Amino acid sequence: MSNHAPHHAPVIPLRRPAGAPDRPPAEARDREPLWRDLVGEILRRERLAQERTLKDVADEARISMPYLSEVERGRKEASSEVLAAAARALGLGLGDLLARAQSELAGPARARPARRTRTTPEAKLILLAA
């Protein structure tokens, strides 16, 4: 047995507790989105834009409706095969799905905070000499 204090991971609630603010804390808003959330949002938006049901798309993709629902909500990390099947069922290629995700990640609405870098003494000399 170790005398060290146990390490605790932060708990992220799935539902907002009663009385909690509508907006997430600033640090949560500034983080990059999870891949599964982003891809799920794109699949759901495309399905709704086509006015198709979850069952219809899941049947055509040959995946279970509950699993597709979990993927759309960002609760499951889908394999490339599942993503390709869901995209195909929506008339998209896997490349189309990935391109949409990439454009959302790189878009101006998702500007990332600048990284802090350490300036080496050599770089300081170069900057001062310029």
Side-chain angles (χ1 to χ4, degrees), residues 52-72:
R52 294 178 65 190
T53 65
L54 197 59
K55 182 176 180 358
D56 174 47
V57 174
D59 287 348
E60 189 171 333
R62 299 183 61 161
I63 57 181
S64 77
M65 189 175 68
Y67 189 74
L68 180 58
S69 174
E70 294 282 297
V71 169
E72 283 189 355

Side-chain angles (χ1 to χ4, degrees), residues 54-100:
L54 197 59
K55 182 176 180 358
D56 174 47
V57 174
D59 287 348
E60 189 171 333
R62 299 183 61 161
I63 57 181
S64 77
M65 189 175 68
Y67 189 74
L68 180 58
S69 174
E70 294 282 297
V71 169
E72 283 189 355
R73 290 183 290 143
R75 301 245 175 121
K76 295 289 184 189
E77 193 84 47
S79 68
S80 58
E81 291 88 357
V82 168
L83 292 177
R88 258 192 322 274
L90 292 166
L92 302 171
L94 184 57
D96 299 323
L97 178 63
L98 300 180
R100 289 182 186 193

